[in-house]
Amino acid sequence: MTTKTNRILSGITPSGNSLHIGNYFGAVKPQIELQNDSSKETFYFVADLHALTTVHDQKTLEKNILGVVLDYLSLGLDPEKCVFFRQSQVPAHTQLAIVLANYISFGQMQRMHAFKDKLQKDIGVESINMGLFNYPILMAADILLYKPFGIPVGEDQRQHIELTRDIAENFNRTYQQEEFPLPEPLISKQVGKIVGTDGQRKMSKSLGNTIGIFEDEAVIRKQIMSCFTDPNRKKATDPGKVDGNPIFIYHDLINDNQDEVTDLKSRYQAGQVGDVEVKEKLFLAHQRMFEAARKRRLALANDLELVTKILAMGADKAGQVANATLTEVYKIIGVKN
Ligand code: TYM
């Protein structure tokens, strides 16, 4: 067994065509920080095959994949420092998933949140595709192929990593080998679950409560302007609540002008500022924070040859590690070619 105690891995599903600030603060930013820590070896990928659970239109999927690849690179992923690739370009992911499915029970799979939530929302099992049911097994393969130590993700991925650990333990126990080190979820208490603009639920594209990063300015302005604030504050002269108020959660994350945030909070608590001013200032802070990334994205979108090269280089590097693990696994289970 090769334990890589310094190896980090994570992925993003291109179920939509661009990332939101929940993805950024909960996952991408911590991932970039780890990439910039030279003691760590980082693997990041776009989990394109995972998107098939919901996206069944060729053009849409292509657009989503390219969109998320561009977002990731523009936000600071550096292909010289990390291995950046597309899941579908490394066939070992699907090959290992087929093997791993044999080391987890149907009962445990039925307890996975994504499946249970879908079951509650929809009419029943007839409307749930097997890709969604099997999703956590493919995710376990994504992880275990690289024998990483840590998985930087948001809180919503915790259960998937726990399942990955269970699969790894079952496999190791079955063959009395320490083939797979157990990966640790690296989830921040502060930013592991960024609330949506409805102030109620986790920010999520499917809930329509996001603030984008790369959308047109008019769209982002609208998303910010329609953000939920303190529901008990009827007019600007009412004293407002700052704690847990999404607009101030976002100010704390986005606004580089600390004095401005402090001033807005105290005026808000004293009933001396309207929601519109607080939101306008957030919009301006958003523009400052993501201006450089937005410029990089425009430039990259005009150089798709470079993007293709980056992904090919990443798939090659990732493939070497993944294939070595798959070869070990095939030998252990008894299908050595
Ligand atoms: P995905 O694409 O849904 O989300 C990408 C990352 O963003 C995090 N995230 C959030 N963090 C904080 N607050 C939020 N509101 C918020 N919304 C999303 C997610 O937790 C995630 O880290 N199954 C994964 C992709 C995946 C993967 C993997 C991850 C496939 N294979 C292997 C790690 C390792 C997913 O769908 O994430």
Side-chain angles (χ1 to χ4, degrees):
M1 182 196 66
T2 37
T3 310
K4 291 283 186 187
T5 49
N6 65 341
R7 191 175 281 167
I8 299 291
L9 171 131
S10 200
I12 290 192
T13 304
S15 38
N17 68 354
S18 67
L19 302 180
H20 52 72
I21 63 165
N23 297 131
Y24 178 67
F25 290 106
V28 177
K29 190 165 177 255
Q31 289 166 12
I32 288 166
E33 281 160 11
L34 287 161
Q35 154 204 280
N36 293 332
D37 172 348
S38 58
S39 69
K40 303 276 188 300
E41 190 188 4
T42 44
F43 286 71
Y44 298 131
F45 66 98
V46 174
D48 48 5
L49 292 171
H50 280 292
L52 282 174
T53 60
T54 52
V55 184
H56 291 173
D57 176 72
Q58 183 198 53
K59 288 273 171 294
T60 307
L61 186 58
E62 283 173 356
K63 194 169 149 227
N64 288 1
I65 295 168
L66 178 63
V68 171
V69 165
L70 292 176
D71 285 6
Y72 230 151
L73 288 170
S74 318
L75 287 168
L77 219 73
D78 181 348
E80 298 295 328
K81 292 186 184 161
C82 71
V83 179
F84 179 54
F85 62 102
R86 267 173 72 171
Q87 181 190 40
S88 64
Q89 291 184 329
V90 181
H93 287 240
T94 41
Q95 290 170 297
L96 185 64
I98 292 287
V99 173
L100 296 183
N102 300 288
Y103 306 90
I104 194 72
S105 72
F106 179 69
Q108 198 169 346
M109 292 298 293
Q110 278 183 311
R111 290 192 288 275
M112 298 304 288
H113 295 319
F115 171 70
K116 278 174 47 186
D117 291 353
K118 187 93 180 143
L119 200 58
Q120 262 170 15
K121 267 187 236 140
D122 292 349
I123 333 131
V125 282
E126 293 301 322
S127 63
I128 298 177
N129 66 50
M130 280 303 291
L132 181 97
F133 189 74
N134 285 334
Y135 181 107
I137 299 177
L138 181 55
M139 183 159 160
D142 296 338
I143 295 172
L144 296 177
L145 275 177
Y146 300 89
K147 304 185 181 182
F149 150 74
I151 318 294
V153 282
E155 185 59 47
D156 59 354
Q157 299 300 314
R158 185 185 292 282
Q159 197 194 29
H160 290 147
I161 296 167
E162 280 164 5
L163 185 96
T164 301
R165 291 170 63 95
D166 288 346
I167 292 177
E169 271 183 325
N170 286 343
F171 186 93
N172 291 347
R173 195 179 326 106
T174 305
Y175 297 99
Q176 292 296 301
Q177 305 235 8
E178 287 301 306
E179 174 59 12
F180 297 124
L182 305 187
E184 295 291 333
L186 305 179
I187 300 172
S188 156
K189 269 210 168 67
Q190 291 78 34
V191 291
K193 189 174 175 186
I194 306 287
V195 70
T197 52
D198 56 4
Q200 308 280 325
R201 295 164 299 177
K202 179 194 80 162
M203 183 175 287
S204 160
K205 195 120 192 163
S206 61
L207 297 172
N209 62 359
T210 61
I211 295 177
I213 300 172
F214 296 103
E215 275 87 348
D216 288 345
E217 285 184 355
V219 173
I220 290 170
R221 172 188 284 272
K222 197 167 165 213
Q223 289 169 332
I224 291 176
M225 286 307 185
S226 57
C227 179
F228 174 104
T229 54
D230 177 351
N232 298 319
R233 191 170 182 253
K234 302 284 177 254
K235 41 188 194 321
T237 48
D238 292 343
K241 216 171 133 246
V242 160
D243 283 345
N245 184 332
I247 207 79
F248 286 105
I249 293 176
Y250 305 148
H251 261 294
D252 283 335
L253 290 169
I254 294 177
N255 198 338
D256 56 352
N257 185 343
Q258 281 307 310
D259 293 343
E260 181 174 271
V261 178
T262 309
D263 170 62
L264 285 174
K265 282 183 180 172
S266 66
R267 285 199 286 137
Y268 196 84
Q269 284 164 324
Q272 289 166 358
V273 64
D275 276 10
V276 173
E277 183 183 340
V278 180
K279 290 176 176 178
E280 276 293 344
K281 295 218 156 104
L282 181 67
F283 174 67
L284 294 173
H286 182 289
Q287 282 188 310
R288 289 197 298 278
M289 173 165 269
F290 294 113
E291 193 189 1
R294 290 169 70 96
K295 280 198 182 131
R296 272 198 296 275
R297 195 179 191 284
L298 276 180
L300 264 179
N302 285 316
D303 194 356
L304 294 184
E305 228 176 275
L306 174 66
V307 175
T308 307
K309 258 195 220 146
I310 289 171
L311 290 170
M313 180 176 84
D316 184 51
K317 286 191 202 158
Q320 289 175 30
V321 177
N323 289 335
T325 304
L326 189 68
T327 303
E328 287 168 12
V329 168
Y330 276 179
K331 192 166 163 220
I332 291 170
I333 62 176
V335 296
K336 189 168 81 165
N337 292 322

